[in-house]
Amino acid sequence: DAVGAGYLYMRSDDKSKSRELAEATYTRLVKRWNQPSAQANIWFVTGLGALRGNDFEGTKFVYTPGVQADYETTRIHFGGTARLYRASGVKHDFLSLRGGFSFYEAEYEETQPWLILEARHMRDLSDRVEFTPMLRLVNKRFFIEGGVSNNRDIRFNFMYIF
């Protein structure tokens, strides 16, 4: 089990609609398969928060249930996420598939670089699939990844485990 906070900025392809989401998150490991040199997981992810948009007044209460699955060795990674963003008059369904590889195996105390490619789509904000190559750095308790999508949008993720 893990609790956290998240911030997400979303924008339509034509840039006419934008959304800002601030949420408290909860993640639960549903199932894990440990193998000699790999691991696979299924996660339940949800959040509650406040949604603002440029096409409606004020702030809307939002809930964000979802599921994530992944498979990883010390050299390859595959994963997928499906998440619903629900508020009064808002139904954004999100789907993401990603895959990548590590440049080399690293010890726990060393930083391990990865190259990840993600394909994602969000219903009701985009008609296109967005592709983003990202560089990921993992070291002990932190996880950082960033890249630029085919729509020229900057993507950045950061996680630190206390």
Side-chain angles (χ1 to χ4, degrees):
D1 294 302
V3 294
Y7 172 81
L8 179 63
Y9 176 78
M10 303 168 261
R11 185 181 64 217
S12 62
D13 289 339
D14 64 6
K15 300 184 176 140
S16 65
K17 284 192 226 176
S18 65
R19 307 271 189 260
E20 288 185 67
L21 168 65
E23 66 177 334
T25 61
Y26 171 72
T27 304
R28 177 162 183 83
L29 178 63
V30 175
K31 180 71 176 163
R32 172 168 286 158
W33 294 271
N34 285 316
Q35 300 165 348
S37 60
Q39 185 179 79
N41 303 287
I42 298 176
W43 306 89
F44 169 71
V45 181
T46 193
L48 299 173
L51 183 70
R52 292 180 187 258
N54 68 342
D55 60 333
F56 59 84
E57 293 292 322
T59 301
K60 295 183 179 195
F61 170 76
V62 65
Y63 60 98
T64 61
V67 65
Q68 179 176 316
D70 59 66
Y71 173 83
E72 190 169 281
T73 71
T74 56
R75 296 298 306 272
I76 62 167
H77 168 84
F78 296 102
T81 301
R83 198 155 178 203
L84 308 177
Y85 293 87
R86 295 291 188 263
S88 175
V90 174
K91 290 184 177 178
H92 298 315
D93 298 335
F94 173 81
L95 180 62
S96 164
L97 299 172
R98 50 175 43 210
F101 65 91
S102 170
F103 294 99
Y104 54 84
E105 288 189 37
E107 297 298 322
Y108 179 72
E109 296 80 18
E110 299 175 318
T111 300
Q112 185 171 18
W114 292 75
L115 183 63
I116 304 290
L117 178 63
E118 181 179 50
R120 61 191 254 160
H121 180 263
M122 183 170 279
R123 184 177 75 118
D124 209 24
L125 280 180
S126 180
D127 295 326
R128 299 182 293 193
V129 174
E130 179 182 75
F131 294 94
T132 308
M134 291 181 278
L135 178 62
R136 172 190 288 179
L137 302 173
V138 179
N139 184 308
K140 295 184 212 172
R141 304 175 71 90
F142 74 82
F143 165 102
I144 299 170
E145 65 182 14
V148 178
S149 75
N150 60 321
N151 296 332
R152 297 188 183 134
D153 292 324
I154 294 172
R155 297 272 311 284
F156 180 76
N157 298 308
F158 174 78
M159 180 174 57
Y160 181 80
I161 300 169
F162 292 99

